[in-house]
Amino acid sequence: MADQVLLLSLLATTFALAIAFEPSPLQDFCVADPASPARVNGQPCLDSKLANASHFSFKGIHVLGNTSNPQGSKVTPVTVVQIPGLNTLGISLARIDYAPWGVVPPHTHPRATEILTVLEGSLSVGFVTSNPNNQLISTVLQKGDVFVFPVGLVHFQRNIGNGNAVSLSALSSQNPGVITIANAVFGSKPAIDTDVLIKAFQVDKSIVSSLQTQF
Ligand SMILES: *[C@@H]1O[C@H](CO)[C@@H](O)[C@H](O)[C@H]1NC(C)=O
Ligand SMILES: *[C@@H]1O[C@H](CO)[C@@H](O)[C@H](O)[C@H]1NC(C)=O
């Protein structure tokens, strides 16, 4: 009986690991083939004999992003969309530019832990732990500092300087996904029923409607 329980819990752990993270590749690489009609978790592989360096490269991570937007920030992603050779490899990159006092608003990556390095400027960064504690873990980063946002947790960045700031993030998925909280909650199409948002945020209908028009 005890053996069976041990075996079951071992199997449960193994299975949980298998579904919680991107699986280890079963070949050298699997360059994403956008032309394939196959539907798989990830993307189907191009014939490896057709692969060349262009499938593994991206040019332009040095290019300044355009931060002329209400948030004052711009993300340049380098995921499997930009580098098809990242398919199945469980890793990607993003450059983030910040105008003075620019913000990357609270968001989560459902599939990736993020490790961020400040290349230029000073950032205030933080993430919030799950319910029920919702503890804010935050700090100020200077050029050369590194910070980690654990997978799935709501986090944000803010340039706290009068000059531009730049950071580079590595993420533990070929396709980390982004859910920006405000856009998802107030900008969904079709809109979430107002009554849900009134009770969730404990505010008047006029405030909910005003927030919905922002997105
Ligand atoms: C690499 O392969 C693609 C087709 O998948 C082709 O368009 C491109 O020209 C090739 N690049 C080189 C450098 O051979
Ligand atoms: C930056 O984005 C703004 C707003 O979309 C646009 O008006 C402006 O032309 C862009 N600047 C450059 C250099 O592309």
Side-chain angles (χ1 to χ4, degrees):
M1 188 61 190
D3 279 0
Q4 278 171 352
V5 170
L6 187 68
L7 183 67
L8 274 178
S9 58
L10 205 67
L11 278 175
T13 315
T14 313
F15 195 63
L17 285 176
I19 57 172
F21 295 97
E22 289 173 33
S24 300
L26 304 176
Q27 63 272 303
D28 280 356
F29 54 78
C30 166
V31 171
D33 179 3
S36 168
R39 294 286 169 267
V40 297
N41 184 22
Q43 296 188 38
C45 308
L46 187 72
D47 180 348
S48 60
K49 289 189 289 298
L50 301 177
N52 63 43
S54 75
H55 297 117
F56 297 91
S57 358
F58 172 84
K59 292 186 196 303
I61 202 77
H62 63 295
V63 175
L64 185 73
N66 183 347
T67 58
S68 299
N69 55 58
Q71 287 75 37
S73 67
K74 175 70 180 177
V75 177
T76 305
V78 189
T79 69
V80 70
V81 174
Q82 289 76 28
I83 303 187
L86 283 181
N87 193 33
T88 74
L89 297 183
I91 194 167
S92 60
L93 202 66
R95 172 190 171 120
I96 308 164
D97 288 281
Y98 311 79
W101 308 99
V103 162
V104 176
H107 65 284
T108 87
H109 304 293
R111 292 177 287 276
T113 290
E114 173 174 357
I115 182 164
L116 174 149
T117 303
V118 180
L119 301 181
E120 214 51 73
S122 309
L123 298 180
S124 162
V125 299
F127 65 83
V128 179
T129 66
S130 305
N131 302 356
N133 292 351
N134 297 139
Q135 182 192 355
L136 172 65
I137 296 183
S138 67
T139 190
V140 169
L141 304 176
Q142 310 294 343
K143 178 174 179 168
D145 293 351
V146 176
F147 194 74
V148 173
F149 302 115
V151 58
L153 298 189
V154 174
H155 60 281
F156 60 87
Q157 297 106 268
R158 180 178 187 229
N159 179 4
I160 51 166
N162 292 318
N164 292 336
V166 186
S167 66
L168 196 63
S169 285
L171 298 115
S172 62
S173 169
Q174 67 179 43
N175 180 21
V178 185
I179 300 170
T180 303
I181 307 303
N183 300 53
V185 173
F186 295 107
S188 69
K189 294 170 207 67
I192 296 175
D193 194 285
T194 312
D195 187 51
V196 173
L197 300 178
I198 288 171
K199 291 201 171 69
F201 289 89
Q202 299 288 297
V203 293
D204 291 341
K205 186 174 166 53
S206 62
I207 298 177
V208 167
S209 304
S210 147
L211 284 167
Q212 285 175 323
T213 60
Q214 299 298 315
F215 295 93

